[in-house]
Amino acid sequence: MKSHYSDAPAAQRIARHTLAVIVDNEPGVLARIAGLFSGRGYNIESLTVSETEHEEHLSRITIVTSGDDAAIAQIMAQLDRLVPVHRVDDLTASGEAVERELALVKVAGRGEHRVEALRLAQAFGARTLDATLNSFIFEFTGAIDEVDRFIRVMAETGVVDVARTGVAALPRGSSKG
C-alpha cells in the first residue's frame, strides 16, 4: 500500500544567498530593511552598506542571508516594495559572483606562538598591519570560508580580537548587480 506521505513535496534546501540592494542614501533606510528582516524572523548573516553613486545619492546594501527558495523570493519581493529601494538582485541565483570579506585579526603571544603566528599569516597571504613585542594585527581578505578558516587556524596561536567587514560582492561579467 502506498503512503500518502510519499507524494508530499521534498523539503526545500536551505541555502546561503547574497542580495545586493540599491537604495536611496537617506536616514532610516537601513533601519527599515533591518526591521523587515527581524519582523519576519529572517536572519542577516552579514551586512555591508556604502554609498556607491554620490551624485545620485545611492547606496548599496549587501546582505547575506539563508533560506529556501520561497523564503528568498519573499524577502526579495518585500525589499522591492520598500519605497527607498531601487533594485534588489540575488547575486547567488544570477550565477557566480565575486564575494570578498576583510578580517583584522589580533594575535598576542611570545616565543614560539609569535613565530607560528607569523608563519601561518604568511602562508595564508595575510598582511601584517601592526607589530609590537607582544602582539600582531593581521589583515586577511578572501571568500567567507577562507576568512573563517584563517581565523580558526590563527586561534591556535592566541587570537585576542577579530573584526570583520562583512561581504562585498559583485556579479561576474558585464551584468550589473
Side-chain angles (χ1 to χ4, degrees), residues 91-110:
L91 300 179
T92 305
S94 64
E96 291 288 316
V98 175
E99 295 184 1
R100 290 294 178 263
E101 183 176 14
L102 178 134
L104 299 178
V105 180
K106 183 185 249 183
V107 177
R110 293 182 136 316

Side-chain angles (χ1 to χ4, degrees), residues 58-120:
L58 296 178
S59 289
R60 176 190 198 87
I61 301 175
T62 305
I63 301 169
V64 177
T65 190
S66 293
D68 61 23
D69 291 342
I72 298 301
Q74 183 179 32
I75 289 169
M76 290 183 61
Q78 290 170 347
L79 283 170
D80 207 30
R81 281 195 288 269
L82 292 177
V83 171
V85 173
H86 291 265
R87 190 173 76 245
V88 180
D89 295 308
D90 183 350
L91 300 179
T92 305
S94 64
E96 291 288 316
V98 175
E99 295 184 1
R100 290 294 178 263
E101 183 176 14
L102 178 134
L104 299 178
V105 180
K106 183 185 249 183
V107 177
R110 293 182 136 316
E112 194 57 38
H113 284 289
R114 186 174 172 78
V115 172
E116 185 65 6
L118 275 173
R119 188 187 67 74
L120 287 169

Side-chain angles (χ1 to χ4, degrees), residues 107-137:
V107 177
R110 293 182 136 316
E112 194 57 38
H113 284 289
R114 186 174 172 78
V115 172
E116 185 65 6
L118 275 173
R119 188 187 67 74
L120 287 169
Q122 185 178 26
F124 273 87
R127 290 182 44 208
T128 304
L129 299 181
D130 184 59
T132 69
L133 294 175
N134 300 315
S135 68
F136 294 105
I137 296 178

Side-chain angles (χ1 to χ4, degrees), residues 133-151:
L133 294 175
N134 300 315
S135 68
F136 294 105
I137 296 178
F138 299 111
E139 173 188 43
F140 181 75
T141 303
I144 296 170
D145 57 334
E146 294 169 335
V147 172
D148 289 341
R149 199 171 111 233
F150 177 70
I151 293 167

